[in-house]
C-alpha cells in the first residue's frame, strides 16, 4: 500500500510512503512528522478508509484541533487533488517498475516525487511546478507583511510626534488624528489582503 499526502495549496506531494499496511497509528506517525516539518494544517481531507475513521485517528485530530473532512463514498473526485496525483503516481511508478523490496520502491518513489514537485507544471498553478508556486506565494505574503511593518512604524512615529511636540499640538493634533485613523485603516486592509491572499491561493490543508 502507498500513503500519499498532498498540500491543498500548491499540489506538492509531501509524502509518498510505501508499506505492507497502514494502521491508524502508523498514519498518525507520518502525519506528526509532516506537522513537525511543514506546520499544522487546518484540516485533513481523506476517504473513508478504516485508518481514517478509527477512533484513534479521530481523537488525534481533535487533540490537535485539526478538522476531519471526508469525501462521500463513491465520489473520489471530492478528494480530487490527491486522486489526480495517485493516477500520476500509479502510471509513473507502480505501473512502470517491478520492485523486489519496499526499500527499492521507496528510493525510486522519492526520486520521482522530487522531480514532480520541482518540475511538473500545473495549469491551475499558472504553469508552475508545486514548489515554484509555493515560492512565489511565500514571497508575495512576505512582501505584504513587510509593508504592514513599515506602516506600523509610520504609525508609531506619528504617535511619538504628537507626544514630542506638545507646543505644536493645537495646530497638528487634528491632522495627526486623521493620519492615525487612515494608518489604522490601512493596516487593517493589509492584514485583510494577507488573509485573503493566503485563502485564495489554497487551503491550509492536506489530502
Amino acid at each position: 500500500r502507498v500513503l500519499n499526502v498532498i498540500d491543498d495549496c500548491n499540489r506538492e506531494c509531501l509524502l509518498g510512503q510505501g508499506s505492507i499496511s497502514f494502521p491508524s497509528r502508523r498514519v498518525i506517525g507520518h502525519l506528526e512528522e509532516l506537522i513537525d516539518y511543514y506546520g499544522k494544517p487546518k484540516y485533513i481531507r481523506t476517504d473513508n478508509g478504516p485508518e481514517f475513521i478509527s477512533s484513534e485517528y479521530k481523537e488525534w485530530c481533535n487533540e490537535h484541533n485539526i478538522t476531519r473532512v471526508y469525501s462521500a463514498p463513491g465520489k473520489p473526485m471530492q478528494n480530487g487533488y490527491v486522486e489526480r496525483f495517485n493516477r500520476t503516481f500509479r502510471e509513473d511508478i507502480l505501473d512502470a517498475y517491478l520492485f523486489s523490496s519496499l526499500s527499492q520502491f521507496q528510493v525510486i518513489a522519492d526520486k520521482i516525487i522530487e522531480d514532480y514537485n520541482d518540475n511538473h507544471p500545473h495549469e491551475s498553478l499558472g504553469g508552475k511546478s508545486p514548489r515554484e508556486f509555493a515560492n512565489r506565494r511565500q514571497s508575495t505574503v512576505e512582501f505584504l507583511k513587510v509593508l504592514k511593518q513599515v506602516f506600523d512604524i509610520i504609525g508609531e512615529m506619528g504617535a511619538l510626534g504628537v507626544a514630542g511636540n506638545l507646543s505644536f499640538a493645537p495646530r497638528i493634533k487634528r491632522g495627526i488624528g486623521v493620519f492615525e485613523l487612515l494608518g489604522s485603516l490601512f493596516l487593517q486592509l493589509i492584514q485583510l489582503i494577507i488573509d485573503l491572499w493566503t485563502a485564495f491561493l489554497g487551503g491550509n490543508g492536506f489530502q
Side-chain angles (χ1 to χ4, degrees):
R1 299 188 64 190
V2 179
L3 175 65
N4 288 326
V5 180
I6 298 293
D7 189 324
D8 250 5
C9 174
N10 68 328
R11 320 296 192 264
E12 180 178 359
C13 179
L14 307 180
L15 178 71
Q17 184 67 42
S19 181
I20 298 300
S21 63
F22 279 105
S24 58
R25 184 64 253 174
R26 184 171 296 166
V27 170
I28 290 171
H30 287 303
L31 292 175
E32 287 178 340
E33 291 175 356
L34 291 179
I35 289 174
D36 287 341
Y37 188 81
Y38 293 101
K40 187 181 72 172
K42 292 181 179 178
Y43 61 87
I44 300 177
R45 189 191 313 273
T46 69
D47 58 22
N48 293 272
E51 62 271 34
F52 299 120
I53 62 174
S54 67
S55 58
E56 189 173 16
Y57 174 77
K58 292 178 180 179
E59 290 173 3
W60 178 82
C61 287
N62 292 337
E63 289 173 1
H64 290 77
N65 197 28
I66 296 173
T67 301
R68 290 175 287 109
V69 181
Y70 295 104
S71 58
K75 295 185 177 180
M77 287 315 296
Q78 290 182 355
N79 210 8
Y81 296 154
V82 76
E83 290 296 337
R84 180 175 296 179
F85 176 80
N86 286 342
R87 184 184 66 184
T88 300
F89 190 91
R90 181 173 60 253
E91 293 173 350
D92 291 353
I93 300 176
L94 300 180
D95 293 347
Y97 296 90
L98 290 175
F99 306 104
S100 59
S101 65
L102 277 174
S103 59
Q104 184 189 46
F105 160 81
Q106 201 62 58
V107 169
I108 295 174
D110 289 345
K111 181 178 180 181
I112 293 179
I113 288 171
E114 282 296 305
D115 180 72
Y116 172 90
N117 287 334
D118 288 330
N119 303 309
H120 185 83
H122 290 257
E123 184 177 350
S124 60
L125 301 180
K128 296 184 179 297
S129 70
R131 286 179 178 161
E132 285 177 326
F133 184 80
N135 290 336
R136 184 187 68 174
R137 172 181 181 270
Q138 185 62 31
S139 297
T140 304
V141 171
E142 288 302 321
F143 169 76
L144 292 174
K145 288 181 177 179
V146 170
L147 189 61
K148 181 177 182 296
Q149 291 174 359
V150 169
F151 279 90
D152 279 335
I153 294 172
I154 293 175
E156 292 174 3
M157 291 174 63
L160 289 174
V162 173
N165 296 277
L166 295 178
S167 61
F168 297 99
R171 286 181 291 175
I172 66 172
K173 185 175 181 180
R174 180 175 298 178
I176 292 296
V178 172
F179 175 80
E180 289 179 339
L181 175 61
L182 292 176
S184 175
L185 292 174
F186 190 81
L187 292 176
Q188 294 179 47
L189 177 61
I190 290 295
Q191 186 61 57
L192 178 62
I193 291 173
I194 292 173
D195 295 340
L196 290 176
W197 183 265
T198 303
F200 175 76
L201 288 177
N204 183 16
F206 295 162
Q207 288 194 19

